[in-house]
């Protein structure tokens, strides 16, 4: 399984498989609205180098226009159906930066070089905030090359998850959030371990925790910021002991089979 995964922080990862470099939900800023990056250096220019960029849903910490503007002109961008209508800034980036934008829905497949990107559903309210009239689904993606790597985006646990996602070798699962309380449609460490048991991959990497936190709330339930990664490792060992879990530091990469 020669896939290599790099975690840059939050939900931003690079998946390299079969010579194709895939970037997920890029967020490359020290501060976004009321959120401040509290851990990990800002990713360098190499993080924005990708053959294709996957955006799981329209929330600003996943579809972040200034971060997308760092992509090379002409970069390929895969977004949920309805995104261009709901987020006018995408039209600006398409015009000014030449981004090649493809809208997709669950069940679609997109070929990028030697890999196939399979689009799968997520249980999450994926609309742009503040809530507008334009609906757009939250999605996950399975990058299939020499390995099958599932990037969940933001999602809750749902009954048909294993069937909808299908067989995977590596799972990149959200295990926390950016505030002291997780809303509906998210995985915490315990629910992420349950998802892991259902999906039964060979390896897993926890993401979406320990990066951004609301300004002025450092003392409010700080364990929700610091502990999800370690808690996921512990709970995964109980619920899915056959899965190798790799808790990465920001900017660290792993080749799951070699590390497992």
């Amino acid at each position: 399984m020669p896939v290599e995964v790099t975690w840059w922080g939050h939900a931003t990862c690079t998946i390299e498989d079969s010579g194709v470099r895939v970037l997920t939900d890029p967020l490359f800023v020290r501060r976004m609205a009321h959120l401040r990056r509290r851990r990990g250096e800002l990713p360098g220019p190499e993080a924005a180098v990708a053959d294709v960029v996957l955006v799981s849903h329209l929330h600003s910490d996943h579809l972040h226009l200034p971060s997308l503007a760092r992509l090379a002109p002409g970069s390929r961008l895969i977004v949920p159906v309805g995104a261009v209508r709901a987020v006018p800034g995408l039209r600006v980036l398409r015009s000014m930066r030449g981004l090649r934008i493809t809208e997709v829905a669950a069940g679609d497949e997109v070929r990028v070089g030697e890999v196939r990107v399979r689009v799968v559903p997520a249980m999450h309210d994926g609309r742009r905030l503040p809530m507008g009239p334009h609906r757009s689904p939250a999605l996950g993606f399975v990058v299939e090359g020499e390995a099958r790597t599932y990037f969940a985006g933001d999602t809750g646990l749902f009954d048909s998850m294993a069937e909808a996602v299908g067989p995977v070798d590596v799972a990149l699962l959200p295990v926390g959030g950016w505030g002291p309380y997780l809303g509906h449609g998210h995985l915490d460490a315990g629910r992420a371990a349950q998802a892991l048991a259902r999906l039964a991959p060979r390896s897993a990497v926890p993401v979406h925790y320990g990066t951004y936190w609301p300004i002025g709330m450092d003392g409010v339930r700080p364990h929700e910021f610091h502990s999800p990664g370690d808690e996921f490792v512990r709970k995964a060992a109980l619920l899915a002991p056959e899965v190798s879990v790799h808790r990465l530091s920001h900017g660290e990469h792993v080749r799951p089979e070699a590390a497992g």
Side-chain angles (χ1 to χ4, degrees):
M1 190 191 307
V3 66
E4 182 173 276
V5 174
T6 304
W7 182 49
W8 302 108
H10 201 54
T12 307
C13 302
T14 295
I15 303 163
E16 296 185 71
D17 191 335
S18 304
V20 177
R21 188 174 170 98
V22 181
L23 177 64
T24 67
D25 289 354
L27 187 57
F28 299 141
V29 290
R30 203 169 296 281
R31 177 174 175 178
M32 189 198 75
H34 65 300
L35 303 180
R36 174 170 58 91
R37 189 175 179 116
R38 286 194 54 207
R39 184 182 287 171
E41 295 298 321
L42 281 180
E46 72 278 7
V49 177
D51 297 295
V52 64
V53 179
L54 309 179
V55 172
S56 63
H57 62 288
L58 306 193
H59 291 172
S60 296
D61 58 323
H62 292 258
L63 195 166
H64 186 251
L65 293 169
S67 295
L68 293 177
R70 286 182 51 180
L71 301 174
S75 292
R76 189 170 187 183
L77 185 63
I78 297 177
V79 300
V81 64
V84 174
R85 183 183 181 194
V87 186
L90 284 175
R91 297 196 290 273
V92 175
L93 289 176
R94 184 169 60 186
S95 174
M96 301 296 292
R97 302 286 293 172
L99 296 187
R100 295 175 295 144
I101 301 175
T102 301
E103 294 192 344
V104 296
D108 289 345
E109 296 181 357
V110 180
R111 194 83 192 184
V112 183
E114 296 299 313
V115 307
R116 177 178 65 159
V117 177
R118 189 162 49 84
V119 187
V120 299
M123 191 187 79
H124 188 72
D125 186 342
R127 291 176 291 176
R128 192 70 163 180
L129 300 176
M131 300 298 187
H134 305 307
R135 293 187 174 273
S136 188
L139 302 171
F141 301 94
V142 180
V143 178
E144 298 187 348
E146 294 188 53
R148 296 164 297 187
T149 303
Y150 170 47
F151 170 67
D154 266 354
T155 187
L157 191 65
F158 55 99
D159 290 341
S160 62
M161 176 178 274
E163 178 183 359
V165 173
V168 292
D169 302 299
V170 183
L172 313 181
L173 295 178
V175 301
W178 50 252
Y181 301 100
L182 281 175
H184 180 69
H186 292 85
L187 296 177
D188 60 11
R191 291 192 294 274
Q194 293 178 49
L196 195 65
R198 297 183 186 188
L199 296 167
R202 298 177 63 180
S203 303
V205 176
V207 301
H208 204 287
Y209 77 99
T211 308
Y212 292 91
W213 202 246
I215 294 170
M217 297 189 70
D218 288 3
V220 180
R221 296 173 64 85
H223 63 282
E224 298 289 355
F225 178 84
H226 292 286
S227 67
D230 289 335
E231 187 177 354
F232 174 70
V233 170
R234 290 193 300 270
K235 293 189 174 182
L238 295 174
L239 297 180
E242 71 285 356
V243 180
S244 297
V245 178
H246 309 287
R247 190 181 72 79
L248 302 181
S249 301
H250 293 83
E252 187 179 4
H253 61 263
V254 64
R255 292 184 176 180
E257 185 179 50

